[in-house]
Amino acid sequence: RVGMLVEGTIQKVEGYGVLVALGNKVRGFVSNMHLSDVPQRRADPARFRVGAKIKARVLTVDGAARKLHLTLKRSFVKAAESELITSYAACTPGKAVTGFVTRATPAGVTVTFLGNVNGFVPARQLARSGETR
């Protein structure tokens, strides 16, 4: 399920991300964007070794294909369940939650959460909170 913390074994390391075996012929994929909280251009084979065990959080689920999109971002893996949004129904105004910026424009930033849930923070709101970058 989206938001679940899973353990798996690194099966393959490619320039575009890491393939993870989770068992029962279920595989997960970690794109370069989700290798860590710090942006990575490509998966470093020295850091991500085939056969290594990892913990990840489920971002999205494709049940028909038995594939999961995972994140290794520490902010998500270490987050408490109460800090995660997995659906629009779970959103509560004013609540601090974990997400990542997927787009920044002069008008504001788009923040993505688990399950492809997105939100927009207007630039004027960022300025009021002291965020100007």
Side-chain angles (χ1 to χ4, degrees):
R1 83 181 151 76
V2 171
M4 182 182 226
L5 195 59
V6 295
E7 292 185 22
T9 305
I10 295 177
Q11 196 172 33
K12 196 173 193 180
V13 179
E14 297 286 347
Y16 49 84
V18 175
L19 189 62
V20 180
L22 300 169
N24 290 336
K25 298 183 182 178
V26 176
R27 295 179 303 170
F29 178 71
V30 183
S31 65
N32 288 342
M33 177 183 196
H34 286 282
L35 293 174
S36 79
D37 283 321
V38 177
Q40 305 289 309
R41 289 185 153 257
R42 54 186 299 121
D44 179 5
R47 181 170 172 228
F48 300 100
R49 294 199 171 117
V50 172
K53 303 283 187 199
I54 61 164
K55 285 186 180 180
R57 183 95 46 195
V58 177
L59 282 172
T60 60
V61 175
D62 181 346
R66 299 179 59 92
K67 291 183 182 176
L68 306 174
H69 190 194
L70 308 172
T71 183
L72 297 176
K73 288 179 179 282
R74 184 178 177 92
S75 57
F76 278 98
V77 173
K78 298 291 184 183
E81 292 278 333
S82 62
E83 298 171 357
L84 301 172
I85 291 178
T86 58
S87 69
Y88 288 102
C91 297
T92 305
K95 181 179 177 185
V97 295
T98 302
F100 56 97
V101 174
T102 50
R103 186 168 185 223
T105 68
V109 297
T110 300
V111 180
T112 301
F113 306 95
L114 302 174
N116 286 327
V117 174
N118 295 292
F120 183 76
V121 182
R124 65 183 175 279
Q125 181 69 34
L126 293 171
R128 278 198 301 260
S129 68
E131 296 296 326
T132 57
R133 300 187 280 149

